Amino acid sequence: MEGVLAITVHTEGLNGFPQECKQTEDLTNGHSKCTTILNGLSPGNCIKENGNLNGNPYLKTVPSLAAGGNQTKTEEVSLEVERAQEEWDALESIQPVLAEDLTPSPLISFNEALQHFQTTDLGDLLKNIQPTIHRTGLAAITHFLFGPPRLHKDLLEERDLVFAIAQCSLDNGHSVHMRVLQTVYRKLTCTRADCPRYGPHWENVGFQGSDPATDLRGTGFLGLMHILYFVMDPEILPLARDIYRLSQHPVQNFPFSVMSINMTRIALHALREEVLSKECNRRQQVVAVLNDFYVATFLHLYQLWKNQQKTISDSGHVLKEVELFAKKNPKQILKRLEGYLKERRAGTGHRTSPDTLSHSNPSPCDTGSQAGSQGGKEGKEINFIGVCELPPEMEGEARLI
């Protein structure tokens, strides 16, 4: 005998509302099977994924409502639950911002960066440097009799440090290296926040790609140190910004940082060829003389480039001309820089000198660039306190594209 026996039971459900439960008993071949039906639905049909009742992801139990007002109340509760769940999901999607990401790295002075190298063991690099040109035969005799004087012995250690820095590569894991890189970018662009290590923004300050390290292969970290000196000395910072503005000219543009690296290369060659030995001996300094020679060479290129309306297509010829002139006339080129800075200090350089750009559109961060005489002294009075060295094969020519 087969049949279905249904038993209806009225019970009080959730929130005091009545709910109807039916006990059904299937009689099949003399065996009985009982099934409880809740509000017309069996549990197997009511329970969906994640244990949700009636497929609702937010209500675990939905009672049968006897009145329409009660149905509205439950719908309001459901909407509140949905909104709460959406807010929670939104919170989970928010990524926390680390405090160090909000705080820019402190700017670094040239002296602080130099002292890092003075107190770092660069012995491996010192083994590979070539601080002077090796001459033999008649060339050696001629250089001895008619060439520039030899560098004083007490300056050899400082000279070797320069060539060692020129062998150091940019190290992403070193805080001093990264601070130098960020300082250069922030001072040239007048921004306060640090920028990403890689990216097209480096082209804005005259590097040729997304990684400045690729352009430093010719002069090593010394190329970056010279840019740092240029932008951190308040006396010569206006000149750096003048050159930087010219580098962004719609017609006369050139990559500023790559051009600067070429000036560093010329200065290194001049030091190796002992062109600067006389001035170094006179001042009893190497790093300071090299820095001034670098700036003076850059000033000479800037004047030539601007006044003769040079463009990037002329870069190869201009660089050769500048290098030959600077090596042949080191005293004259340094005197030009001295005269240029005197004019600026007198407040006449930007008005009377034909070799400077018009300041009709000065950079907003130029304000106060002449201030800070203490910073100026720091940039000029370089105290040598250590030793280091570099390999010559890395001093290849940094060419403009």
Side-chain angles (χ1 to χ4, degrees), residues 249 251-252 303-311 314:
H249 190 276
V251 177
Q252 293 186 264
Q303 294 170 337
L304 189 154
W305 194 281
K306 176 180 179 292
N307 295 335
Q308 297 185 15
Q309 301 293 309
K310 299 297 182 181
T311 64
D314 304 312

Side-chain angles (χ1 to χ4, degrees), residues 111 115 229 233 285 288 375-384:
N111 271 359
Q115 289 171 9
Y229 175 76
D233 188 316
Q285 290 179 308
K377 291 182 179 180
E378 183 183 26
K380 294 295 182 182
E381 298 176 3
I382 299 171
N383 300 316
F384 178 71

Side-chain angles (χ1 to χ4, degrees), residues 50-67:
N50 301 325
N52 293 334
L53 190 60
N54 297 329
N56 190 313
Y58 305 109
L59 295 180
K60 300 302 181 182
T61 303
V62 181
S64 177
L65 301 177

Side-chain angles (χ1 to χ4, degrees), residues 170-231:
L170 183 62
D171 184 358
N172 293 342
H174 205 293
S175 61
V176 170
H177 289 208
M178 293 300 100
R179 285 176 61 197
V180 170
L181 193 61
Q182 293 290 346
T183 298
V184 166
Y185 183 85
R186 287 162 56 186
K187 292 292 286 186
L188 284 175
T189 60
C190 302
T191 55
R192 295 183 178 181
D194 287 346
C195 64
R197 171 63 181 84
Y198 303 97
H201 53 275
W202 290 113
E203 297 178 16
N204 297 335
V205 293
F207 289 102
Q208 295 179 132
S210 60
D211 183 7
T214 59
D215 293 323
L216 295 172
R217 289 175 296 188
T219 59
F221 203 80
L222 184 65
L224 202 57
M225 288 285 287
H226 272 164
I227 306 177
L228 177 69
Y229 175 76
F230 212 176
V231 301

Side-chain angles (χ1 to χ4, degrees), residues 33 37 74 83 131 159 191 207 224 240 307 322 367 381 391 394:
K33 180 174 65 175
I37 298 178
T74 303
R83 283 196 294 268
R159 177 204 63 187
T191 55
F207 289 102
L224 202 57
N307 295 335
V322 169
T367 305
E381 298 176 3
M394 293 196 59

